[in-house]
Amino acid sequence: MMDGRVRLPQIGAVLAGDSPSLPWVVVDGARQETVPVSDYLLDRMLGDVSPLTCRSHAYDLPRWYRAPWAVDVGWERATESETAVPVGWLRSARNPQRERKRGAYQPGTVNAIMGKPALRSGYAPASIAHKLSVLHGFYAFHLHYGRGPVANPVPANPARRAALAHRSPVEERVRYRRGRMRPKIPARQPRAIPDDQWNALFQQMRCTRDRALLACSISSACRASELLGVQLGDTE
């Protein structure tokens, strides 16, 4: 299973909740609510996280639950050995959401127009690290109330916590070793459209006003989400 040759059982699902305090609910194979997950998600919502964050955490936890269910181990008896199973599976298995069609960019290549690299067929290291962070928070929450295993099955990284604690932005970033089971996340390279692509885009625009608006938007250094959310009243 750790080599990705065995598929995890597709048990459990994420459903929309009935109340704003719990917008997402995780159910097991019998379509019954998973109470430990609901308690954790409710605590996250009380901490003023967004519903999208709650949804992201809700989808991460069933993938973890499927590994102990496959080896017949309850979540309250999980150890680091049960954590290693889904981590190894995610590093080796193929991601069905990234199945490429014929003629698509191959992994490792870069889109010549957008400058975006093609993702590999498996699960990204950032996705694995996010799942481990969610799982660590899940067990830390229940450990606070005396539930679950005695020790958190997701290893912590004290060196990282010490490096990030009370650090001034002007100080040099302290280097630290990655925690156990944590994947190496490559540094994201900035993307940019080549100059000839910009020239081709401006040539296709027939209105001078549209060219001016596009040039102003580009030179403002706004995020894409900020530009897409601009309304008529914001331009006054």
Side-chain angles (χ1 to χ4, degrees):
M1 184 177 295
M2 292 184 63
D3 295 333
R5 294 193 296 264
V6 178
R7 297 189 61 181
L8 291 178
Q10 298 300 311
I11 304 175
V14 178
L15 305 177
D18 298 330
S19 62
S21 60
L22 191 61
W24 300 96
V25 177
V26 176
V27 297
D28 56 16
R31 312 295 288 185
Q32 298 295 322
E33 180 181 355
T34 309
V35 178
V37 176
S38 296
D39 293 341
Y40 171 65
L41 295 179
L42 179 60
D43 180 77
R44 297 295 294 154
M45 290 300 298
L46 292 176
D48 201 22
V49 301
S50 67
L52 290 178
T53 300
C54 178
R55 179 179 182 272
S56 175
H57 290 190
Y59 272 98
D60 282 337
L61 289 172
R63 296 189 181 103
W64 150 254
Y65 262 75
R66 288 164 185 164
W69 283 336
V71 295
D72 196 20
V73 175
W75 74 273
E76 68 282 356
R77 295 185 291 112
T79 62
E80 291 188 10
S81 299
E82 282 71 38
T83 304
V85 172
V87 171
W89 186 87
L90 289 170
R91 291 183 177 180
S92 306
R94 296 180 61 85
N95 188 345
Q97 296 180 345
R98 294 185 179 176
E99 295 294 338
R100 294 174 176 83
K101 299 180 180 179
R102 182 176 299 178
Y105 286 92
Q106 297 300 318
T109 59
V110 179
N111 189 316
I113 298 177
M114 303 301 298
K116 183 178 181 180
L119 300 175
R120 66 175 190 173
S121 58
Y123 291 87
S127 300
I128 302 176
H130 184 269
K131 295 181 193 334
L132 286 173
S133 297
V134 172
L135 186 59
H136 184 274
F138 170 77
Y139 276 101
F141 165 76
H142 287 287
L143 187 63
H144 175 75
Y145 292 99
R147 300 189 292 259
V150 178
N152 198 319
V154 181
N157 188 3
R160 179 178 182 272
R161 294 180 179 274
L164 299 180
H166 305 291
R167 184 177 64 87
S168 173
V170 299
E171 294 179 0
E172 184 179 357
R173 185 174 181 180
V174 180
R175 299 180 63 88
Y176 53 86
R177 296 181 61 88
R178 288 181 288 116
R180 293 175 38 242
M181 301 186 190
R182 296 279 177 170
K184 183 178 181 180
I185 302 178
R188 298 182 60 181
Q189 298 297 327
R191 303 202 310 262
I193 300 179
D195 292 340
D196 55 346
Q197 295 293 336
W198 282 116
N199 296 333
L201 176 60
F202 277 98
Q203 290 176 3
Q204 293 294 326
M205 303 177 69
R206 300 182 179 181
C207 180
T208 305
R209 180 181 64 88
D210 293 343
R211 295 192 187 99
L213 288 174
L214 179 60
C216 180
S217 301
I218 296 170
S219 60
S220 65
C222 293
R223 299 183 180 91
S225 59
E226 296 172 343
L227 290 176
L228 294 175
V230 173
Q231 299 181 1
L232 183 60
D234 300 328
T235 60
E236 297 179 357

